[in-house]
Amino acid sequence: MSFNFDIAESTEDDSRRSLTPKEDVQWVPLQTHPAFTTTADGGGTAATASASAGGVRNLLAWDGASRLYFWDSNQQCLHRISIRLGEPDPTSVVAASPSKDLDMLLKAYDECQLSHCCSGKGLLPLHNEYGYQMLPVLRADKELNFVVNKISINRNGSALLLAGSDDLCVMYLYGRSSTKENAIVCRTVSIGSQVYSSDSSAIRILQVSWHPYSDTHVGILSSDSVFRLFDLSSGVVQPEQEYYLQPVEPGRSRNAASICPVDFSFGGDHLWDRFSVFVLFSDGSVYILCPVVPFGSVYKWESILEIYSDAHTFGLKSAKSAAVNNSNMAISWLEATFPEVAEEATDRENLSIIKAHSHALFDASLALQGPLRKVCHGGEDEDLAVRGAECEGRAVSFLYNLVSKDSILVTAWSGGQLQIDALADEIQPVWITGSAPRLRVDSFDHIRGIAMICESISAEHSIVKLDQPLDNTVWLGHPPPLLRLAIVDLALPRKAEGSSLITMLADPLMPERIYSLHEGGVDSIVLHFLPFTSQINGKDENIKTPSVHPVLSTCLGETSSSSPSPLSGFASLSDSFGYSWVVVVTSTQECVVLEMKTWNLLLPIQIDKEKPIDMEQQKEKDTLDIISKELLSGPKSVLAPQASPNLRSISADSIEGRSALHQYFKLFHENYVEYAHKVYFELKHHGPQLKRIIDDQHARLDEAQQKISRVEAKQPMLDERIDRVVQRHNSLEQRLQRLRRLPGAHKKPLSRAEREFKSELGQFTGVELDALRSSIDTLGARLKKYTKSSKDNLKTQRRKIPGRNHVQDAQISQLKSSLEKLSLLNSESTKKVELVESAIKTVESSRNKTILS
């Protein structure tokens, strides 16, 4: 087989050429693509490492158009799959299969590449007639020393994140690349290598996500309670923005879970939500950072103008000084970040988008707004607003989803529950004055980086009620309250360690639908009630509970002992015609494509409660008309004609008698004879139909008799099983009686204090112990980092200054004493953890001895 290539030179740049094969591409169903082949070890080492890292893997990403990316953990490569949605039929998804003669294509390409390079014109890109690169496999140009748990692609499809719990890399899919071993080698760069991927660092990456309004900014939440925003276009070593989260005041933490972050999510395209970052902590509390804007990100002009006018209308004209002060700070920040809003000479009619400039308030830092509390009714107890979590276990993941005008917050718990809330008020920016941020500027005094400590204003928390006027809540710096919509229990199987890992994704086509990924498979949750959207649409509806639909189950059997097969990837696809699909990849690299219904899914079944259903009328409607009701009612009654009184005296042979008989015979023929003809015609016409009905009844009768015979054949076996069950029940009852006679069976029930202590031990076992260990590791990493930096600074200062400086010596001694105190606190925390573990082991051993005895 031979390949023909067209090398077309560009008139603008001789180095850019197009290499196009003349052979058609083979399209196959996505499930049968060669990238998805069942492996013998079922994911083996990669799946085990991912499970130990703690998280549901998602190694599948869709660029929103025609390309699907899948990371192969066994081969350490990225599969790029070109797909077509709705072809050849509207319910299918097909993928481009690599050519069987790819080696010959590469040889021809290499020969053409060699001749082209010898002419001094550089490298040639490899493209086919559809415009995508022919090589379907991409590899990193560096060795990845971590297990990839998640991949994510940016908006324009130019870069892809490879994220693990210990390291993070970005792979550039275009630009400088080369070919090696039938694969494209792409440039791959580590992000924040000094913070995350150093050997002595104990900082774990909890969540990573692309910013929705920038193609080059990545947000990272780590275990040291710091949210960092990196700009990949300017530098991947130092973050552009750093926010040190401090949800509680030092020394006032009631539990370790309240200071351990878990997940974060960026806001959506709604007022100040687009500048917000939602952070979830292990105890279920949610905090908000606002405003957080990447330098150089792009926004709609109408959106910025809307919040600018809102600050003038509801903030500056307020009667309260706090609202005026907060709105003034917001207006000054908007005018500095988006200078076009304050410039009168700007041609606003022609503006469609606006770019954010680097800016930060010099004398104020962002406030950590929260924790968000439930909204209270007028007569409701205020303690309900600050009550702890209503779900079991600890919070494991978080999702922000914008549906029309409603901001939906979904929190997943390790017990298998989903807590669904809606923001009952709008988000406003809040700063804490007097806490200056740390700025990094260039030689032109332009801000290149900021870092600040974000504290929670616990003293100004107030209970928000539904009957409060608007002036009591707008621009006063209060965090928005939550309106509880539902708590959904996914009924996940109980694990030995008592925790389930759940990841949530929103449907891009139908925002009311949320997908939850867990060890048991995939579920779909559809919201049927949205408070603000229902009011805007003029619907006065009661709160409807969400509907839960299982999409895919990965359990190997129906028994509870069967271990589920974990998922490796999930993606939701949709096209412009309203069709939607989900693509699921299992740990054995088996691909499953399912079509998801979208039409009429949100429409509930309408039942008229005022008009009861008459069962007799319904039965009459369902019964087929075999014979018309007119014939069943019989012939019409005919009144006899009036006759003279002397009719009996008239003989039949006379003229009058013959006339009367003729009239009676005529009436009889017109009614009864014609009725008999109608009955005969109806019976003859409905004969075949009656025969079919009778045959169907006979068939059903035969089927019922066969079922009865099968039941009779199984009856002896059922009797034997019932006898065995009865014997087993009797033996268990006797054993129970013997156990009741044991000395330990008559122990007193636990007192209230003992039950509270037992619940505290359970809380320490499930949540607090892990949180304390994470805190200890983070403190140890910080201690090593600051010790090393202090030694380096001391050496540098001694080199620069030959004489001794008593002020610097005093600072160094103070730093050493602080480090000693921190080390002492670390050792005390370790001892406390050991005491808690020993107490738990003692309780468990005594419990086991009691059970064995």
Side-chain angles (χ1 to χ4, degrees):
M1 175 181 254
S2 62
F3 293 89
N4 298 323
F5 296 95
D6 289 342
I7 303 178
E9 297 190 6
S10 175
T11 58
E12 298 180 357
D13 189 2
D14 294 338
S15 63
R16 295 181 60 87
R17 301 190 177 194
S18 176
L19 187 64
T20 306
K22 296 301 183 180
E23 186 180 357
D24 293 336
V25 178
Q26 182 181 4
W27 295 90
V28 297
L30 182 59
Q31 302 91 317
T32 61
H33 193 272
F36 305 112
T37 56
T38 304
T39 58
D41 59 348
T45 307
T48 305
S50 176
S52 63
V56 179
R57 295 190 301 169
N58 191 6
L59 307 181
L60 201 64
W62 180 48
D63 65 350
S66 61
R67 290 177 183 174
L68 197 67
Y69 295 88
F70 173 67
W71 176 260
D72 192 341
S73 300
N74 299 321
Q75 302 295 330
Q76 291 289 303
C77 65
L78 182 69
H79 295 276
R80 177 174 52 200
I81 307 169
S82 295
I83 60 174
R84 286 179 175 177
L85 303 176
E87 292 185 9
D89 56 273
T91 61
S92 63
V93 179
V94 294
S97 178
S99 175
K100 296 180 180 179
D101 301 284
L102 187 58
D103 294 335
M104 299 179 63
L105 172 65
L106 291 174
K107 290 180 181 178
Y109 167 74
D110 292 337
E111 293 176 359
C112 185
Q113 185 75 272
L114 180 61
S115 62
H116 188 67
C117 291
C118 292
S119 61
K121 296 183 180 180
L123 295 176
L124 275 174
L126 181 59
H127 294 272
N128 73 348
E129 62 179 337
Y130 294 100
Y132 63 86
Q133 296 185 351
M134 281 294 296
L135 292 175
V137 178
L138 290 79
R139 295 185 183 274
D141 62 353
K142 57 177 291 187
E143 184 180 359
L144 302 182
N145 298 322
F146 63 96
V147 178
V148 178
N149 295 329
K150 176 185 177 181
I151 67 172
S152 178
I153 194 168
N154 60 353
R155 295 183 305 173
N156 59 12
S158 61
L160 186 133
L161 289 176
L162 303 174
S165 60
D166 302 325
D167 203 349
L168 174 66
C169 293
V170 58
M171 177 184 289
Y172 294 96
L173 305 179
Y174 303 99
R176 292 179 297 172
S177 59
S178 59
T179 59
K180 181 181 179 181
E181 297 179 357
N182 297 347
I184 298 177
V185 180
C186 299
R187 185 168 67 96
T188 306
V189 183
S190 296
I191 301 176
S193 57
Q194 295 181 354
V195 181
Y196 306 115
S197 59
S198 60
D199 297 334
S200 60
S201 177
I203 300 176
R204 295 180 294 107
I205 298 176
L206 302 177
Q207 182 61 277
V208 57
S209 176
W210 291 98
H211 197 278
Y213 294 97
S214 175
D215 293 323
T216 60
H217 283 81
V218 177
I220 303 174
L221 179 66
S222 52
S223 60
D224 58 346
S225 298
V226 181
F227 174 75
R228 297 177 175 89
L229 199 62
F230 286 85
D231 185 8
L232 305 184
S233 62
S234 60
V236 294
V237 179
Q238 287 186 336
E240 179 187 270
Q241 302 178 33
E242 286 183 294
Y243 300 94
Y244 292 83
L245 309 179
Q246 191 168 320
V248 294
E249 297 181 6
R252 295 191 177 184
S253 176
R254 292 177 294 178
N255 49 27
S258 61
I259 60 175
C260 294
V262 175
D263 199 355
F264 84 94
S265 179
F266 291 110
D269 190 14
H270 175 70
L271 296 180
W272 288 96
D273 290 21
R274 59 178 59 89
F275 302 141
S276 301
V277 178
F278 299 82
V279 183
L280 173 71
F281 285 79
S282 184
D283 63 343
S285 57
V286 180
Y287 292 82
I288 299 176
L289 283 174
C290 180
V292 176
V293 178
F295 300 159
S297 54
V298 179
Y299 299 88
K300 296 179 181 178
W301 166 251
E302 292 83 1
S303 304
I304 304 301
L305 195 61
E306 181 182 7
I307 59 178
Y308 185 71
S309 60
D310 177 80
H312 279 84
T313 304
F314 297 99
L316 295 181
K317 297 181 180 180
S318 176
K320 297 188 177 182
S321 60
V324 175
N325 185 27
N326 292 333
S327 60
N328 274 325
M329 296 181 70
I331 290 172
S332 63
W333 180 85
L334 284 171
E335 291 177 351
T337 307
F338 305 99
E340 292 82 358
V341 297
E343 296 177 359
E344 297 181 357
T346 305
D347 189 4
R348 299 186 176 185
E349 295 181 356
N350 297 328
L351 279 178
S352 59
I353 58 176
I354 188 172
K355 189 176 182 180
H357 294 250
S358 58
H359 174 71
L361 299 180
F362 292 97
D363 60 342
S365 297
L366 292 184
L368 191 61
Q369 304 182 44
L372 304 186
R373 309 184 180 193
K374 289 174 54 180
V375 66
C376 291
H377 297 275
E380 190 175 351
D381 188 7
E382 295 183 357
D383 293 336
L384 294 176
V386 293
R387 187 170 296 173
E390 301 176 2
C391 302
E392 300 177 3
R394 59 185 177 88
V396 293
S397 64
F398 179 80
L399 174 67
Y400 171 92
N401 189 22
L402 180 64
V403 185
S404 186
K405 296 297 182 180
D406 289 276
S407 300
I408 306 299
L409 309 182
V410 187
T411 304
W413 295 78
S414 59
Q417 297 88 15
L418 300 182
Q419 178 181 311
I420 305 176
D421 301 308
L423 290 181
D425 202 352
E426 300 296 344
I427 300 175
Q428 279 107 24
V430 180
W431 287 270
I432 299 177
T433 57
S435 177
R438 190 173 181 179
L439 305 179
R440 187 176 74 251
V441 297
D442 57 8
S443 57
F444 300 98
D445 292 336
H446 295 160
I447 298 177
R448 297 304 178 192
I450 59 175
M452 61 182 68
I453 298 176
C454 302
E455 300 176 341
S456 177
I457 314 176
S458 59
E460 297 185 4
H461 285 172
S462 63
I463 306 300
V464 180
K465 299 181 180 180
L466 291 176
D467 54 355
Q468 285 183 349
L470 187 63
D471 296 338
N472 294 341
T473 58
V474 176
W475 288 102
L476 293 181
H478 301 316
L482 297 177
L483 179 62
R484 180 63 47 82
L485 298 182
I487 293 181
V488 178
D489 192 352
L490 299 178
L492 300 181
R494 296 289 182 179
K495 298 177 63 178
E497 59 272 16
S499 66
S500 299
L501 300 174
I502 303 173
T503 302
M504 296 172 293
L505 298 170
D507 193 334
L509 181 64
M510 182 180 172
E512 293 87 355
R513 178 161 53 195
I514 300 170
Y515 296 107
S516 63
L517 284 67
H518 45 79
E519 293 91 338
V522 182
D523 292 329
S524 169
I525 299 94
V526 180
L527 304 178
H528 296 287
F529 173 77
L530 300 170
F532 288 99
T533 305
S534 300
Q535 291 180 3
I536 293 174
N537 296 334
K539 298 179 181 179
D540 188 10
E541 299 178 349
N542 297 325
I543 296 180
K544 298 182 178 64
T545 58
S547 58
V548 182
H549 307 279
V551 178
L552 181 67
S553 177
T554 58
C555 293
L556 301 179
E558 297 179 355
T559 60
S560 58
S561 61
S562 61
S563 60
S565 176
L567 299 178
S568 293
F570 177 87
S572 178
L573 313 180
S574 61
D575 62 1
S576 58
F577 297 100
Y579 292 96
S580 178
W581 303 265
V582 293
V583 181
V584 182
V585 180
T586 63
S587 60
T588 58
Q589 292 190 205
E590 180 183 0
C591 180
V592 180
V593 180
L594 301 173
E595 183 192 4
M596 302 301 297
K597 299 296 183 181
T598 55
W599 303 111
N600 300 329
L601 188 59
L602 295 175
L603 298 177
I605 300 175
Q606 300 292 338
I607 299 177
D608 192 359
K609 298 181 180 179
E610 298 179 356
K611 185 178 181 181
I613 299 176
D614 192 354
M615 298 304 295
E616 295 182 357
Q617 294 180 0
Q618 187 70 22
K619 187 175 181 180
E620 289 180 359
K621 292 180 180 179
D622 296 338
T623 305
L624 295 175
D625 293 335
I626 304 301
I627 300 178
S628 61
K629 296 180 180 180
E630 182 181 358
L631 297 182
L632 292 176
S633 62
K636 296 181 180 180
S637 58
V638 181
L639 297 176
Q642 294 182 358
S644 59
N646 55 355
L647 182 62
R648 294 180 178 274
S649 60
I650 297 175
S651 62
D653 298 335
S654 62
I655 297 174
E656 292 82 0
R658 289 180 180 179
S659 176
L661 289 175
H662 178 72
Q663 187 175 2
Y664 279 108
F665 278 123
K666 183 179 180 181
L667 291 174
F668 177 78
H669 183 271
E670 288 179 356
N671 292 279
Y672 295 97
V673 175
E674 289 183 2
Y675 173 75
H677 282 290
K678 289 181 180 180
V679 170
Y680 173 76
F681 177 77
E682 288 282 344
L683 292 178
K684 185 178 180 181
H685 177 70
H686 290 286
Q689 186 176 0
L690 290 173
K691 186 177 182 302
R692 285 195 301 269
I693 294 175
I694 293 172
D695 294 340
D696 182 59
Q697 295 291 337
H698 281 294
R700 294 175 62 182
L701 179 62
D702 295 338
E703 185 180 358
Q705 289 177 352
Q706 292 177 2
K707 290 182 179 180
I708 292 173
S709 62
R710 286 197 296 268
V711 170
E712 290 177 351
K714 293 180 180 179
Q715 185 65 31
M717 183 177 62
L718 293 175
D719 293 338
E720 292 178 0
R721 293 180 64 182
I722 291 173
D723 294 338
R724 288 197 301 268
V725 169
V726 171
Q727 292 176 4
R728 181 64 175 171
H729 175 72
N730 294 333
S731 64
L732 290 176
E733 206 171 78
Q734 294 175 3
R735 186 178 178 184
L736 182 61
Q737 294 296 333
R738 289 195 300 269
L739 290 174
R740 285 177 179 174
R741 288 193 292 268
L742 293 176
H746 300 285
K747 292 191 300 184
K748 295 181 180 180
L750 296 177
S751 62
R752 182 177 180 181
E754 291 172 342
R755 290 195 301 269
E756 291 178 356
F757 181 69
K758 183 179 179 181
S759 64
E760 289 180 2
L761 286 180
Q763 182 74 10
F764 268 102
T765 305
V767 179
E768 296 294 326
L769 205 56
D770 297 336
L772 285 172
R773 286 173 179 169
S774 176
S775 300
I776 291 171
D777 295 338
T778 304
L779 287 174
R782 287 186 178 180
L783 179 61
K784 292 179 181 179
K785 181 179 178 181
Y786 288 131
T787 305
K788 184 178 179 181
S789 62
S790 62
K791 290 181 179 179
D792 296 339
N793 293 334
L794 182 59
K795 292 179 180 179
T796 305
Q797 290 175 1
R798 286 181 178 177
R799 290 174 182 174
K800 291 182 179 179
I801 304 175
R804 294 181 57 86
N805 192 336
H806 298 285
V807 178
Q808 292 180 356
D809 293 341
Q811 292 179 354
I812 292 171
S813 62
Q814 185 179 2
L815 180 60
K816 287 182 178 179
S817 62
S818 300
L819 290 176
E820 291 176 358
K821 291 181 181 179
L822 184 60
S823 178
L824 181 62
L825 179 62
N826 192 3
S827 61
E828 290 179 357
S829 300
T830 306
K831 291 179 181 179
K832 289 181 181 180
V833 171
E834 292 176 354
L835 288 175
V836 170
E837 288 180 345
S838 62
I840 292 172
K841 290 180 181 178
T842 304
V843 172
E844 290 180 352
S845 62
S846 62
R847 186 184 301 169
N848 294 332
K849 289 180 181 179
T850 304
I851 294 173
L852 293 174
S853 61

